[in-house]
Amino acid sequence: MKKLISSCLFALFFSITTQHQSVSGQQYDKLNLDSQPLSNKVCATCHGSYGVGNPIVGGPSLAGLEPWYLKRQLEGFRAKHRGNETDYVPGNEMQVSVARLSDNEIEEVVSFIATWKPVEPEQTLSGDANNGSALYASCAACHGINGMGNELLGAPALVGRDDWYMARQLKLFMSGNRGGNPDDVYGQQMRAGVQALGSEQDINDVLAYINTMN
Amino acid sequence: MNKFVSRRELLSLIGKTGATAAVLKASTALGLVPETNVQFPDIPSVNPANRPAVVILGGGISGLTTAYELDKAGYDCVVLEAAPKAGGRCMTVRSGDLIDEVGNPQICEFDDEPHMYFNAGPARIPSTHRNLLRYCRELGVELEIFVNENKEAYVQDDAMFNGKPIKNAAVTTSARGFMAEIMAKNFTGHELDQPLNQYEAESLLSAIRSFGDLSEGDVFKGSTRSGYAHGGFIEHGVQKDVADFSELLKTDFMRMILGQNEGETGPVLFQPVGGMDKIVQGFTNKLEGKIYYDVMVASVNLNNGDGVEVTYEHKGMKYKIQADYCFNCIPSHLMTGIENNFDDNYIEAMRYVRRGEAYKSAFQAKTRFWEKDDIYGGISWTNQKIQQIWYPPHGVFKDKGVILGAYDYGGGMHFTKLSQEERLETAIRQGQKVHPEYRDQVEKGITIAWHRMNHMLGCAARWARNRDGMTADEERLYRTLQQPAGGRHYMIGDQISVHSAWQESAILSAHWAINDMVKRQSGISTMPGQKLS
């Protein structure tokens, strides 16, 4: 079960409710988040409220993603570098969802998502974290020894991300479904890097190790 | 060398292809008419000075039913709906309407006429769905007969008659004729091991002959039931040629066609005059000021067995609401992405339910070209991806009409994955195999891929993952999600039924939840103030 780490948003509420007070007459507490209806409509249905993620519809958590990385991925989906795999519907859905977004709208969505509080990542996989630690050595060059990422190298943080989502992405990089497009420079780097992982067990092991960094 | 089959084996084999209801009991899911033991809610009126607060998440049919019934009994209800209109999948599309598919929003460009609408979700009401019919009567929703099966509509399969469409009547009469012939020729009460006396045996034989319209000597020589090639009124009719039975055996359509006239899709079916969403309007008219639109639920949390707290967003503002009870028809697969404090079993159950994938598309027809072909309402069947073409039973003889151009009711994502242009082009190309004039006749196509509809992301929920029905584990998960979380939060909707995809199921899920709440409340004082002794 995923919960918002931060409750400060809700702490601002004050309860005015008494038992059996009229629901329709309740003076609801308001908090202007200066939100963009676009972000709400476009993202929340699949990625959950405030980007907490929803694995049931294949929507990874978005809260806490670096804005520069998020922007690049939205542009990647729009350019059809991502989401082309024929056997995975959520990827296709993401592609069509952003196909009509303008540059301004992407900026708008990214800056709105940046206001969402990071969530605890889903940890669903089990693997050998010791073996994963050894495998991670080749990841650390770009993603950092603590998995915090490195914007200069275009490598996002790995801590804070859902393991089921990272497992899927590693497989996509391996098959070339992600990172196979010559215009996707960073994806190509990652595709080359991921060849260090030989098997599904390796993927589970390295993700088990990344889970320990959270 | 082919093995000869015994009569009994043959009858059993015929049963598998769908010949007789006697052999074929409960063969298809659609053929079942479920009975219900859920009582119509009898809700004790609440004290106006002490009205329980109820928040209903989602304005689908189950949410509206709950709000309507509890409001009548004096409960203080609000409905929070994510979309700009209520109804959920009970959706009718007309001129100017938005089809809010994620990534593929469409505006319907049909002519603005009362009969030019498309029921994108439920489109037929079986006469046995008595709770839905009761609401139609109570809410003043005018009904008309819906025609599901039409013997003048077509059946088309690329494997049969070189892909040429043939009339449904030709399939039916031929299939029944040949099957009856086999049965009659081989029939004796004794050999069937049936405890029949002579009279009963003759009666059965006579029914078999009539079933297949057999000629003298129990031979099938065709039937005028499929119409005449020509003549029949002033000149003597000339019977049509018999549709070659061996051709029919090349396809799956005998089973499909012969099963359509029974069960929930058998006569009599209804549709509301002017569109299925007249039912939604019937409810919303009674719930004025109680439904809030464009509301995105952000969290649902139980308050230690003492009510439910819901937060939501509306136009960039955030709100909190406290209620004694929460009835929730948000699709369970979306609820898993909304913050909550439900227990692990409940969440496990929510996560298990599969999203439905049904797809429909529709066209405006420039003329009612099907009427020139003696078709008024009903369905043509094809083995192509579009599967069905529906003709409107209403608006007969008007200039134009709206036809259903594709209905993928099963597990196919074929159309959903295509672009809007590809979806429509595919529907036109495949429709041409049934009606050669199709391409020239249809325009202004719309598509509804329920798997991608905003705020829903799925059609009817599916609990069972195999065709044999629910496993014991699935039954456990289903019962878990049916029970109220913390005694206060009820999941409702056709997702909380074993017979999803019907409005009746949504209504009954609401009735079940309301009855359960009433039962749990019994013993609670209805007097104002706190009970002291």
Side-chain angles (χ1 to χ4, degrees), chain B residues 416-526:
Chain B
T416 301
K417 289 182 179 179
L418 300 179
S419 70
Q420 178 73 356
E421 294 69 29
E422 290 167 335
R423 290 175 183 178
L424 294 175
E425 171 55 27
T426 303
I428 290 172
R429 206 175 50 244
Q430 298 188 348
Q432 278 181 295
K433 290 199 176 183
V434 181
H435 297 283
E437 69 272 48
Y438 206 67
R439 184 177 293 276
D440 295 331
Q441 285 289 340
V442 300
E443 60 180 358
K444 299 176 178 176
I446 56 168
T447 70
I448 295 94
W450 286 105
H451 201 263
R452 281 194 197 162
M453 291 295 280
N454 203 2
H455 311 304
M456 289 181 263
L457 288 189
C459 198
R462 305 286 179 198
W463 281 96
R465 295 199 179 168
N466 66 66
R467 299 184 80 85
D468 299 332
M470 283 158 99
T471 63
D473 214 34
E474 285 166 341
E475 179 78 20
R476 174 183 63 79
L477 292 165
Y478 167 61
R479 296 296 169 196
T480 299
L481 203 55
Q482 188 183 38
Q483 291 295 321
R488 299 289 182 150
H489 174 272
Y490 290 90
M491 290 299 288
I492 52 172
D494 67 324
Q495 59 188 344
I496 310 297
S497 80
V498 295
H499 194 56
S500 60
W502 291 100
Q503 296 177 97
E504 179 78 356
S505 306
I507 289 169
L508 283 167
S509 79
H511 287 178
W512 189 97
I514 291 169
N515 290 340
D516 188 75
M517 182 195 74
V518 168
K519 198 169 67 194
R520 284 165 188 265
Q521 280 182 338
S522 65
I524 295 177
S525 168
T526 54

Side-chain angles (χ1 to χ4, degrees), chain A residues 1 20 22-24 54 86 100, chain B residues 50 53 76 103 333 336 340 417:
Chain A
M1 159 72 218
H20 290 181
S22 160
V23 188
S24 29
N54 186 356
T86 52
R100 289 170 165 81
Chain B
N50 199 17
D76 181 23
H333 57 264
T336 55
N340 62 70
K417 289 182 179 179

Side-chain angles (χ1 to χ4, degrees), chain A residues 1 9-10 17 20 22-24 26 28-31 35 45 48-50 52 54 86 93 96-97 100 122, chain B residues 50 53 76 102-103 298 312-313 316 318-319 321-322 324 333-334 336-337 340 347 351 417 451-452 454 457:
Chain A
M1 159 72 218
L9 220 49
F10 296 112
T17 311
H20 290 181
S22 160
V23 188
S24 29
Q26 274 185 45
Y28 312 139
D29 305 319
K30 294 180 186 177
L31 181 65
S35 74
T45 305
S49 50
Y50 307 110
V52 298
N54 186 356
T86 52
E93 291 182 340
V96 298
S97 300
R100 289 170 165 81
E122 288 253 333
Chain B
N50 199 17
D76 181 23
V102 172
Y312 67 86
E313 276 198 30
K318 204 171 160 188
Y319 302 82
I321 187 166
Q322 300 277 358
D324 296 296
H333 57 264
L334 296 186
T336 55
N340 62 70
I347 290 168
R351 287 184 164 203
K417 289 182 179 179
H451 201 263
R452 281 194 197 162
N454 203 2
L457 288 189

